[in-house]
């Protein structure tokens, strides 16, 4: 079983829809939770960064962390065709794991005009 | 500010040949990472450097992979000899320190025939 599970999709939505992307994880030591966006043939770029539990909002994007359920989510409001990309969740722990990010498989999102 | 620079962007080689990838991190970033991303998967850490020291190379296949980071700036990742299963995107990332946000380069796409 992988430490981080993510539905690979693909997920196709119409422009303006609300998108929900999710990851589950098994390692309770994870404290830092991130969402990266990766366009085709590009490197991942950081979208959202959350420490421990709670919500964080940035424009059209909202990240949620539920540590009791080991479940994290990314919501995209008013989705745009430019949001079409692969979304990767990533997480790491404090202590000797240092900066080692554990990534999910990535969810491919397509927003249709 | 320039991002993480990687070269080459694409490489096609025959199996058993050697190959090398180069990475120039963001100026001032002490921590450097090499990840491998297989098709349809999230990146997986190969090695992490703090300045010149490799502090986590537990996932690096040491029989054929080697890496160096001379003078604590640029880094080179080498595979010798390459195998068919090494076909992947090799991503370099850097961060100011090990617990801080990682910034990824565009990656080198390797195809081993």
């Amino acid at each position: 079983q992988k430490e981080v599970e993510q539905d690979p999709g693909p997920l196709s939505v119409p422009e303006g829809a609300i998108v929900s992307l999710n990851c589950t994880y098994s390692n309770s030591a994870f404290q830092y939770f991130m969402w990266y966006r990766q366009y085709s043939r590009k490197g991942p770029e950081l979208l959202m960064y959350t420490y421990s539990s709670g919500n964080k909002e940035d424009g059209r994007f909202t990240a949620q962390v539920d540590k009791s359920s080991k479940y994290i989510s990314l919501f995209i409001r008013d989705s745009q065709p430019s949001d079409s990309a692969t979304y990767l969740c990533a997480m790491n722990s404090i202590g000797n794991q240092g900066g080692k990010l554990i990534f999910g498989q990535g969810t491919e999102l397509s927003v249709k005009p | 500010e320039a991002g993480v620079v990687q070269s080459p962007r694409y490489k096609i080689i025959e199996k058993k040949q050697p190959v090398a990838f180069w990475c120039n991190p963001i100026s001032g970033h002490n921590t450097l990472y090499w990840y491998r991303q297989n098709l349809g998967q999230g990146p997986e850490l190969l090695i992490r450097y703090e300045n010149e020291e490799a502090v986590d190379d537990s996932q690096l296949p040491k029989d054929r992979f080697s890496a160096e980071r001379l003078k604590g700036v640029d880094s080179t990742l080498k595979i010798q000899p390459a195998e068919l299963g090494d076909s992947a995107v090799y991503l370099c990332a850097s961060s100011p320190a090990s617990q801080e946000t990682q910034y990824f380069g565009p990656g080198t796409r390797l195809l081993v025939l």
Side-chain angles (χ1 to χ4, degrees):
Chain A
Q1 183 184 4
K2 293 183 178 180
E3 282 189 283
V4 179
E5 298 279 358
Q6 184 176 7
D7 186 339
L11 181 62
S12 183
V13 301
E15 183 175 355
I18 296 175
V19 176
S20 173
L21 305 168
N22 311 292
C23 289
T24 59
Y25 63 95
S26 57
N27 188 345
S28 58
F30 289 143
Q31 297 278 359
Y32 300 88
F33 303 92
M34 287 140 277
W35 286 95
Y36 280 82
R37 178 175 61 195
Q38 186 172 27
Y39 290 112
S40 180
R41 301 188 182 274
K42 302 287 186 182
E45 58 176 331
L46 184 67
L47 265 182
M48 301 284 286
Y49 176 78
T50 308
Y51 171 70
S52 195
S53 286
N55 294 358
K56 187 173 184 179
E57 188 173 323
D58 183 3
R60 297 184 295 109
F61 299 89
T62 299
Q64 287 186 351
V65 175
D66 182 349
K67 291 190 69 180
S68 63
S69 301
K70 298 189 177 67
Y71 188 86
I72 70 170
S73 301
L74 177 71
F75 297 95
I76 307 174
R77 293 185 299 279
D78 187 25
S79 56
Q80 303 295 310
S82 58
D83 295 328
S84 298
T86 295
Y87 290 79
L88 297 152
C89 63
M91 47 200 79
N92 66 1
S93 60
I94 58 175
N96 62 6
Q97 288 297 314
K100 179 179 179 179
L101 290 180
I102 307 298
F103 282 87
Q105 185 176 357
T107 300
E108 183 181 349
L109 172 67
S110 177
V111 181
K112 302 296 186 183
Chain B
E1 178 181 289
V4 176
V5 179
Q6 290 189 248
S7 68
R9 292 295 312 278
Y10 303 91
K11 190 74 176 178
I12 300 174
I13 61 171
E14 294 192 345
K15 63 181 181 182
K16 301 184 181 179
Q17 295 300 307
V19 64
F21 315 124
W22 175 80
C23 173
N24 178 240
I26 294 172
S27 177
H29 282 197
N30 295 324
T31 309
L32 184 145
Y33 312 78
W34 283 102
Y35 288 85
R36 177 169 59 188
Q37 186 174 23
N38 292 312
L39 187 64
Q41 301 295 318
E44 294 181 326
L45 182 69
L46 291 174
I47 189 167
R48 174 168 64 98
Y49 282 92
E50 296 289 348
N51 297 303
E52 296 178 348
E53 182 182 1
V55 296
D56 183 357
D57 63 355
S58 57
Q59 302 301 311
L60 191 71
K62 297 181 183 61
D63 57 336
R64 296 183 300 108
F65 286 66
S66 64
E68 60 182 9
R69 191 183 184 197
L70 299 177
K71 301 182 180 179
V73 182
D74 295 358
S75 178
T76 302
L77 178 69
K78 297 179 181 177
I79 308 175
Q80 182 171 11
E83 296 180 352
L84 296 177
D86 296 331
S87 295
V89 177
Y90 290 83
L91 293 162
C92 179
S94 70
S95 62
S98 63
Q99 289 292 349
E100 299 185 45
T101 302
Q102 296 180 30
Y103 296 86
F104 284 81
T108 295
R109 188 174 298 269
L110 174 68
L111 178 60
V112 182
L113 301 176

